[in-house]
Amino acid sequence: SSTEVSETSYCYKVRVRDLCGFYGVEGYQGCSIVLGGDSEPFEHMLDWNPYEKWPGGISHYRIFRRDPLVDTTFQPIARISGDEALYTDDELNYEVGAYWYKVKAYEQPAAGQRSKRSVSQSNIIYLEQKPILHVPSAFTINRDGLNEHWGLEPVFVKDIHVNVYNRWGAKVYETRDLDDKWYGPPAGSSYTDKMSDNVYLYQIYYKGWDEILRSKTGDVTILK
């Protein structure tokens, strides 16, 4: 209970005692794997100390990841050489900003030795991506099939609340759906301007997977 397996690599041996109190021979000494990582925009960089003390060394490592929207368990995402102790995961799901990782080392049999297929597993780490939200500044309603709606482009965003107001402060649009689109005020609405260009104000509150509330305000222009 006093160990800190997420911070320190511990070396150990296993020794078996039978019901009569006699001890068997000590097993090989092993040293635990400590996995660490850093989050950069659109990628997670993992590093760990190599597993030590197998007589034949390491055959290979496997990287495992858990995506909370897709996987309920860890899934292997990469296999790398036993000589490597670094991996960059840049194949992230842009809808998800939270990931768990672990690494497993697989034993390489020593010369003339049968494989015991020993496996050592690291600690588990958690990494987050900061949310990114792009808000378009204009769209058209001229029915030419181009830019006919106003839609946000969220990356690693978990929750959102969007409000759009006309120049008199009346709310003309609201959504909490990340995929929702606004096609402008319906024709004949009392709040529709008669000018060629209409400018509306937006207020957006959103959260990433870190649960920090963020906000954006600005304006969007409808080009007729």
Side-chain angles (χ1 to χ4, degrees), residues 18-35:
D18 64 21
L19 293 176
C20 296
F22 296 105
Y23 285 93
V25 296
E26 291 182 342
Y28 294 124
Q29 180 175 326
C31 299
S32 60
I33 303 171
V34 178
L35 173 63

Side-chain angles (χ1 to χ4, degrees), residues 115-157:
S115 173
K116 298 183 292 300
R117 297 183 179 180
S118 298
V119 179
S120 181
Q121 178 175 296
S122 74
N123 56 302
I124 295 173
I125 64 171
Y126 173 76
L127 296 175
E128 289 178 337
Q129 285 285 317
K130 292 182 179 180
I132 301 170
L133 184 65
H134 172 66
V135 183
S137 59
F139 67 106
T140 66
I141 54 173
N142 56 10
R143 298 183 180 180
D144 64 355
L146 300 174
N147 301 316
E148 292 289 336
H149 58 257
W150 184 67
L152 308 181
E153 297 181 17
V155 179
F156 308 125
V157 175

Side-chain angles (χ1 to χ4, degrees), residues 75-129:
Q75 301 296 323
I77 60 171
R79 170 177 170 153
I80 63 174
S81 164
D83 297 327
E84 301 289 334
L86 296 169
Y87 179 75
T88 298
D89 181 16
D90 57 4
E91 296 184 3
L92 304 179
N93 178 354
Y94 289 176
E95 295 181 3
V96 181
Y99 294 89
W100 288 263
Y101 294 91
K102 66 181 179 182
V103 172
K104 288 185 179 181
Y106 295 80
E107 180 185 14
Q108 174 67 48
Q113 181 187 52
R114 291 184 60 187
S115 173
K116 298 183 292 300
R117 297 183 179 180
S118 298
V119 179
S120 181
Q121 178 175 296
S122 74
N123 56 302
I124 295 173
I125 64 171
Y126 173 76
L127 296 175
E128 289 178 337
Q129 285 285 317

